[in-house]
Amino acid sequence: MDPVVFLDRDNTLIANDGDLGDPSRVALLEGVPEGLVRLRDAGYRLVVVTNQGGVARGRYGEDDVDRVHREIAGLVDRAADRRGLIDRFYYCPYHPEAALPEYRREHPWRKPRPGMLLQAARDLGLDLTSSWMIGDQARDISAGRAAGCRTILVGGAEPDPEMEPTVSATDFTEAVDLLLATGRPGRGRLPERNELASLRRAIEDLAESQGRKNNSTARGVGLVLLALAGFPFVGAILMLEDTDAFLRWILATVVLILASIAVQVAGRR
């Protein structure tokens, strides 16, 4: 399972003073592409979760929301020179006071409820306990906390006293700085079979490398011992007339030779 950073859309990633259904009006906030690249490189998936009550009010349709999201994704990818930087967009078109009857209802996806985050976790295999929610409204913080994520409130909005964010930031760049200061995410994802095979091969390669290193070390020690055996052998020759001394020097020579052989044999195991 992968960690994710959930991202509110309006006034977190893009500027928006009202209902936005026109792709030509999309403008990324400063530092957003660079921040998203940093989050992705740190190991986080990126998912946008946004309330789109403008659909319920009849200001624009769901097709317009999709076009806006394609524009955001394209702008981000071009600015960052990446493809598919944002994994997915989720939006809630429902509102309890909608002008259009088909959208007039409470819905579990509408923030501050965590429905979009929970759905994304099911769809993408996300680890919510290792994840974050970044947004500019108290409802973003509430949704993130309800899903079990840590949260960052950006833009100076007043936090809900009962739903304090984990940290607050003045802008998106600072939010990314604060998030990454906590360290790289821990991943709860189970390794795939091919990853286990790669891990096994890596361990075997390491063991083989260590074995070669041990063999080389043992060979070196053995040669040193063999060289040292020459000294008592010379001493034995010089003590030919003293039988006891001769035997002691010969014994020392034999011991060093046997030690040399033993070390080299052990190094090959």
Side-chain angles (χ1 to χ4, degrees):
M1 299 176 73
D2 295 324
V4 63
V5 177
F6 291 108
L7 304 155
D8 175 52
R9 194 191 81 175
D10 299 332
N11 299 313
T12 298
L13 300 180
I14 65 172
N16 183 16
D17 293 330
D19 293 328
L20 177 59
D22 182 357
S24 67
R25 293 174 51 206
V26 171
L28 297 176
L29 293 176
E30 184 177 357
V32 165
E34 298 84 357
L36 295 180
V37 168
R38 292 171 63 200
L39 293 173
R40 173 67 83 177
D41 289 346
Y44 289 98
R45 306 285 293 273
L46 301 174
V47 173
V48 175
V49 288
T50 176
N51 288 349
Q52 288 302 305
V55 174
R57 288 187 285 271
R59 304 286 179 81
Y60 48 83
E62 293 193 56
D63 289 343
D64 297 314
V65 176
D66 291 334
R67 282 193 288 270
V68 167
H69 289 168
R70 286 195 295 271
E71 179 67 13
I72 293 171
L75 288 174
V76 166
D77 287 354
R78 288 191 293 274
D81 195 23
R82 295 281 188 95
R83 293 187 63 182
L85 200 60
I86 296 174
D87 288 285
R88 195 167 296 185
F89 290 81
Y90 290 83
Y91 69 92
C92 180
Y94 301 99
H95 193 286
E97 299 177 1
L100 302 179
E102 60 268 34
Y103 292 107
R104 190 186 303 133
R105 64 186 177 100
E106 292 285 357
H107 195 279
W109 278 31
R110 183 170 175 80
K111 294 180 289 184
R113 296 182 179 182
M116 286 187 284
L117 288 70
L118 300 178
Q119 185 63 50
R122 287 191 289 268
D123 293 344
L124 303 176
L126 305 174
D127 178 8
L128 294 174
T129 61
S130 299
S131 300
W132 292 78
M133 172 76 209
I134 301 177
D136 70 314
Q137 297 293 327
R139 59 175 172 262
D140 300 315
I141 305 308
S142 297
R145 289 187 53 170
C149 303
R150 287 171 287 180
T151 57
I152 301 179
L153 183 66
V154 296
E158 190 67 27
D160 184 338
E162 297 183 0
M163 281 290 176
E164 288 286 340
T166 306
V167 290
S168 295
T170 56
D171 55 26
F172 192 76
T173 298
E174 185 183 13
V176 173
D177 289 341
L178 292 170
L179 190 157
L180 295 181
T182 65
R184 290 183 179 272
R187 287 176 175 259
R189 180 174 56 88
L190 294 175
E192 302 291 342
R193 182 175 299 176
N194 63 330
E195 293 175 318
L196 289 173
S198 298
L199 178 60
R200 185 176 63 252
R201 285 194 298 271
I203 293 172
E204 290 171 350
D205 290 344
L206 179 61
E208 183 180 349
S209 174
Q210 187 63 39
R212 287 195 297 269
K213 181 179 178 182
N214 289 342
N215 286 342
S216 177
T217 302
R219 190 178 303 111
V221 172
L223 291 174
V224 169
L225 291 172
L226 189 60
L228 290 175
F231 291 101
F233 181 71
V234 172
I237 293 175
L238 295 175
M239 294 294 177
L240 286 174
E241 296 180 359
D242 186 340
T243 303
D244 290 340
F246 172 79
L247 291 176
R248 285 196 297 271
W249 284 114
I250 286 295
L251 180 60
T253 301
V254 171
V255 168
L256 287 170
I257 291 173
L258 291 176
S260 171
I261 294 171
V263 167
Q264 294 188 66
V265 169
R268 294 194 184 99
R269 292 179 180 175

